[in-house]
Amino acid sequence: MELPLLTVTSPLLPDMEEYQKLLQDIWSKKRITNNGFYHKELESKLCSYLKIPFVSLFTNGTLPLITALQALRITGEVITTPYSFVATTHSIWWNGLKPVFVDIDPDTCGINPDKIEAAITPRTSAIMPVHCYGIPCDVKRIQEIADKYHLKVIYDAAHAFGVEKDGESILKYGDLSTLSFHATKVFNTVEGGAMVMPDEKMKKYIDYLKNFGFAGETEVVAPGINSKMDEVRAAYGIANLNKIDQAIQNRKKATLAYREALKNVPGIRYMEDMPGVKHNYGYFPIFVNEKEYGMSRDALYEKMKEANVYGRRYFYPLISTFSTYRGLDSSDPANLPVATRLANEVICLPLHHDLSDDDISRVIDCIIKR
Ligand SMILES: *Cc1c(COP(=O)(O)O)cnc(C)c1O
């Protein structure tokens, strides 16, 4: 008998009855989008849950990245990481800007601050790092460099829902941060996303930009776009927020089980908690050293698939290797040795709120039994 399919993630779904009640209310109010009741309520609930001053909901996690670059009037070149989901770099391209790839730090998988200064030119106007796997970038060093060269910092924090460093939200660093609430993320609204900003003035401007630039019935203050979240998904988010703490706790339990089982397996590296950081346990990447482990990453990946265990090679291939970006000088693999190595070593193991002990054992067996 074939074992049931284990996927890398499974969407967190709100309680159906609770969600239905909210939907009934939306039906009775007959207000289904355009900054409605649930849109406002989810924004307010997210501000308190995430301990952030201001947030603006979006229809996905890509449009806040594109909009952030617009809002800060970024020009020329943007320094970024190749070790991410393609949307990070695409947002730069969609603004007619040039992405400049900088290598990553093997301990955080985020951009390596030591390599940023060498990539700065007179055309550089921003840095777009990613809190990869929800692990905080070296935010202090990045800010120091940004201050020295008068650069803006936009964090792609798509993975960093609920992550805190020294008791403060990681989303408060930089000029703006963006979140994704896609089905595959720790917290989801089916599709969805948000931008986190430091002050009310920016919040107002972003709210205009995500609604065509409208600042009132007849006034358009900027060439905006339509990227606002509707009531149906905002209500879904409110119901899902009630389940998020338990979901993260379950993810943590699975993470600890993986670490315990894999701690003495030669050639398998994984990431530990960082001191002072509250993690969200969104991903469990392992890095396979072929020589020490005795099997290549891809061979292990295929072997897992044969056992119906589907990990994902996040982030392989590197963004810099896709045809659109391959031609850039900074895409040369010689410029990106760490990112290139990790992209060839990584498998993210199945990790979500609904993983049973048996599921975890099945994953571990694939890696240990040879
Ligand atoms: C998921 C993701 C995005 C895009 O979010 P969508 O909601 O799918 O548009 C952007 N950046 C990173 C790093 C992501 O993982």
Side-chain angles (χ1 to χ4, degrees), residues 59-65 84-88 130 156-159 178-182 184-185 191-193 283 315:
T59 192
N60 59 47
T62 302
L63 281 156
L65 285 168
S84 180
F85 182 61
V86 280
T88 313
V130 177
D156 180 343
H159 301 175
T178 66
L179 289 162
S180 165
F181 303 151
H182 184 257
T184 53
K185 304 300 203 278
E191 294 268 355
Y283 300 86
F315 286 100

Side-chain angles (χ1 to χ4, degrees), residues 193-311:
M195 196 188 307
V196 177
M197 60 286 284
D199 57 65
E200 195 159 13
K201 198 170 154 219
M202 184 57 90
K203 154 85 174 147
K204 214 168 178 185
Y205 187 53
I206 298 298
D207 285 349
Y208 294 153
L209 282 186
K210 76 174 179 189
N211 188 29
F212 309 98
F214 275 110
E217 211 178 304
T218 52
E219 202 190 352
V220 169
V221 293
I225 194 152
N226 179 12
S227 51
K228 56 198 185 293
M229 186 184 280
D230 59 78
E231 289 290 274
V232 173
R233 285 187 286 153
Y236 177 106
I238 287 166
N240 237 359
L241 203 53
N242 292 331
K243 296 181 76 178
I244 192 69
D245 282 332
Q246 184 65 53
I248 292 175
Q249 227 173 306
N250 295 0
R251 286 171 171 277
K252 180 174 184 175
K253 190 170 158 254
T255 298
L256 297 180
Y258 278 144
R259 284 182 189 155
E260 181 60 27
L262 297 175
K263 70 179 176 196
N264 293 321
V265 182
I268 300 291
R269 181 174 79 88
Y270 55 78
M271 302 173 94
E272 297 283 3
D273 285 359
M274 269 168 84
V277 172
K278 184 177 163 206
H279 292 275
N280 66 10
Y281 305 98
Y283 300 86
F284 193 89
I286 59 167
F287 301 94
V288 184
N289 180 318
E290 180 171 353
K291 250 199 195 138
E292 288 173 30
Y293 182 65
M295 188 189 270
S296 73
R297 185 274 309 270
D298 288 336
L300 175 60
Y301 180 69
E302 292 304 327
K303 187 185 153 217
M304 286 165 62
K305 275 201 208 168
E306 278 163 29
N308 243 358
V309 174
Y310 280 68

Side-chain angles (χ1 to χ4, degrees), residues 118-139:
I120 295 172
T121 74
R123 292 173 298 284
T124 309
S125 62
I127 310 172
M128 184 179 276
V130 177
H131 299 300
C132 191
Y133 309 129
I135 296 155
C137 293
D138 191 340
V139 286

Side-chain angles (χ1 to χ4, degrees), residues 68-171:
L69 291 160
Q70 282 281 319
L72 299 176
R73 299 187 183 276
I74 302 303
T75 59
E77 298 176 2
V78 179
I79 290 175
T80 190
T81 166
Y83 193 80
S84 180
F85 182 61
V86 280
T88 313
T89 310
H90 283 350
S91 72
I92 297 169
W93 202 257
W94 269 64
N95 276 278
L97 305 169
K98 182 179 171 186
V100 175
F101 296 114
V102 163
D103 206 8
I104 59 171
D105 174 341
D107 294 327
T108 63
C109 295
I111 199 164
N112 184 341
D114 293 338
K115 309 275 177 190
I116 293 177
E117 286 197 75
I120 295 172
T121 74
R123 292 173 298 284
T124 309
S125 62
I127 310 172
M128 184 179 276
V130 177
H131 299 300
C132 191
Y133 309 129
I135 296 155
C137 293
D138 191 340
V139 286
K140 280 215 178 90
R141 293 275 315 282
I142 291 170
Q143 195 56 54
E144 278 164 19
I145 296 164
D147 289 344
K148 184 169 165 192
Y149 293 90
H150 301 286
L151 308 177
K152 300 287 187 192
V153 182
I154 298 164
Y155 282 104
D156 180 343
H159 301 175
F161 186 89
V163 173
E164 294 177 15
K165 190 177 150 81
D166 304 323
E168 292 246 22
S169 172
I170 199 68
L171 305 169

Side-chain angles (χ1 to χ4, degrees), residues 30-41:
K30 296 190 170 52
R31 172 90 180 249
I32 57 175
T33 189
N34 285 28
N35 198 23
F37 176 81
Y38 288 104
H39 184 284
K40 287 187 191 124
E41 178 157 313

